[in-house]
Amino acid sequence: MSTEQLTKPLNSFSNVQTILPGFMLCGVIAAAASFISEHYGGPKFLYALLLGISFHFLVDNPRCILGIETCAKKLVRVGVALLGVRIAVSDISDLGALGIIALAAGVALTIGFSLLLARLLKLPYMLGLLAGGATGICGISAAMAISSTLPQNEENEHYTLLTAIGIATFSTVAMVMYPLIVSSLGLTTAEAGLFLGGSIHDVAQVVGAGYMLSPEVGDAATLAKMFRVAMLMPVIMILVFALRSEREKFNGKEGKRQPLVPLFLLVFIGLIVLNQFGWISKEVSTLFSTISTWCLVISIAALGVKTSFEKLIGLGWKPILLLLSNTVFIALYMLAIIYLGQIISS
């Protein structure tokens, strides 16, 4: 599947009948996960993920693919944007100066580590840049945004797809495993949120992992993650100028540009500001929170349907090692920051 084919479904809202089958599939999975959670206990996000994986055989069905892509790519942004009603500007203080500095440094260090490791593995530096940016910032959306700054050729399109497949898989694994790490280490709510939000790649998996533990951890993880997402803008601006000469060598057709600041991030920030001033009523806040939860559960179900461990194996061992090493690097880095904070505060 080409990059054009991958992104085309995300712009197909005009054809509701085309989107509906895949959307209904993910919606039914989300409803089943919610039913199991409410009646038997346990995290609905994890249930949605596992049930979604069992329907992976439908991901290539032409009747379902558009709806699945829409749920996985678009619906999660709606859900995250609406989470802004639960956070106020004053909550940023929960990150603390150490948290803010650590998150910003984590993005830069992960990209640098990825570029160095790609060189050692004799992989193209473009792949190292894509893998590091996707791991350090916000997963597949960061990979697509960074890809828009690269020379638009078939080679870089291939690297983008490799990164997207690997990031989706490792981010999903992290979503399941990292809450277990948080529980085993006995991290506080703030520490758990900083670790999950600072180390998991995609926004959806951060939210899923956080809310598996508690709503408070979910909010803290989302806040830390959105700070990382905000780092996409300066990174993209740097790459636009740094890679200008590279792009000028290619005068072919340009791919679609990604916005420097995603719309869902602007909505998220706007709702935080409105909530800070008390301009959002309790009823509206409750309604938005409910809609947000359903959007996120449905999107997690879609991510489960899309998860393919077979495709990851087909990438070859070097790209897998690069992506895995990046994942381990940022996780260990965030744990080191957390333990450093414990030492400083003691």
Side-chain angles (χ1 to χ4, degrees), residues 312-326:
L312 181 64
I313 296 174
L315 298 181
W317 70 271
K318 286 187 177 181
I320 293 176
L321 179 60
L322 175 65
L323 290 164
L324 175 61
S325 299
N326 287 346

Side-chain angles (χ1 to χ4, degrees), residues 163-301:
T163 302
I165 294 170
I167 285 294
T169 301
F170 284 118
S171 190
T172 301
V173 172
M175 172 186 163
V176 177
M177 298 300 298
Y178 287 8
L180 300 177
I181 295 176
V182 168
S183 299
S184 64
L185 296 179
L187 301 182
T188 65
T189 297
E191 291 170 345
L194 184 61
F195 171 65
L196 296 176
S199 59
I200 298 179
H201 316 328
D202 277 310
V203 176
Q205 283 90 336
V206 169
V207 174
Y211 283 97
M212 281 183 193
L213 295 172
S214 72
E216 293 75 19
V217 173
D219 288 345
T222 300
L223 183 61
K225 183 60 182 179
M226 296 313 291
F227 183 85
R228 289 172 66 196
V229 173
M231 292 294 295
L232 181 62
M233 181 172 64
V235 169
I236 292 298
M237 292 180 67
I238 291 172
L239 293 178
V240 165
F241 291 101
L243 300 176
R244 181 170 55 185
S245 60
E246 292 272 357
R247 291 194 308 275
E248 289 176 351
K249 295 178 182 178
F250 298 88
N251 297 320
K253 182 179 178 181
E254 293 189 354
K256 182 178 179 181
R257 299 275 180 192
Q258 300 292 322
L260 295 183
V261 182
L263 178 60
F264 77 98
L265 176 58
L266 295 177
V267 174
F268 180 85
I269 294 173
L271 289 176
I272 291 176
V273 174
L274 292 176
N275 194 35
Q276 174 69 19
F277 288 101
W279 293 344
I280 300 179
S281 66
K282 183 177 180 180
E283 292 76 15
V284 173
S285 178
T286 301
L287 175 62
F288 280 13
S289 295
T290 301
I291 296 173
S292 173
T293 299
W294 274 104
C295 287
L296 294 172
V297 174
I298 294 173
S299 68
I300 289 294

Side-chain angles (χ1 to χ4, degrees), residues 298-314:
I298 294 173
S299 68
I300 289 294
L303 287 170
V305 175
K306 291 182 62 180
T307 299
S308 173
F309 296 103
E310 291 82 5
K311 287 185 178 180
L312 181 64
I313 296 174

Side-chain angles (χ1 to χ4, degrees), residues 30-199:
S34 299
F35 178 86
I36 295 173
S37 176
E38 292 171 3
H39 288 79
Y40 299 99
K44 66 177 68 176
F45 289 97
L46 180 58
Y47 292 150
L49 174 66
L50 297 177
L51 289 174
I53 291 175
S54 68
F55 286 90
H56 174 68
F57 65 92
L58 291 174
V59 74
D60 292 323
N61 188 306
R63 296 186 59 190
C64 297
I65 183 61
L66 296 183
I68 294 171
E69 288 287 350
T70 299
C71 291
K73 300 293 186 181
K74 291 293 185 180
L75 210 57
V76 64
R77 298 181 181 184
V78 175
V80 171
L82 294 180
L83 281 177
V85 299
R86 303 182 61 173
I87 301 173
V89 175
S90 56
D91 294 329
I92 296 177
S93 60
D94 292 340
L95 288 176
L98 178 62
I100 293 173
I101 295 173
L103 290 171
V107 172
L109 290 174
T110 302
I111 294 175
F113 173 81
S114 183
L115 288 170
L116 177 60
L117 184 57
R119 184 174 182 179
L120 294 175
L121 293 174
K122 297 182 179 180
L123 292 171
Y125 83 92
M126 294 293 185
L127 180 57
L129 181 61
L130 284 164
T135 304
I137 304 175
C138 54
I140 295 174
S141 58
M144 298 300 292
I146 292 173
S147 177
S148 70
T149 71
L150 303 178
Q152 300 299 300
N153 54 37
E154 292 185 3
E155 187 177 42
N156 287 332
E157 181 179 280
H158 182 62
Y159 297 152
T160 302
L161 290 174
L162 289 181
T163 302
I165 294 170
I167 285 294
T169 301
F170 284 118
S171 190
T172 301
V173 172
M175 172 186 163
V176 177
M177 298 300 298
Y178 287 8
L180 300 177
I181 295 176
V182 168
S183 299
S184 64
L185 296 179
L187 301 182
T188 65
T189 297
E191 291 170 345
L194 184 61
F195 171 65
L196 296 176
S199 59

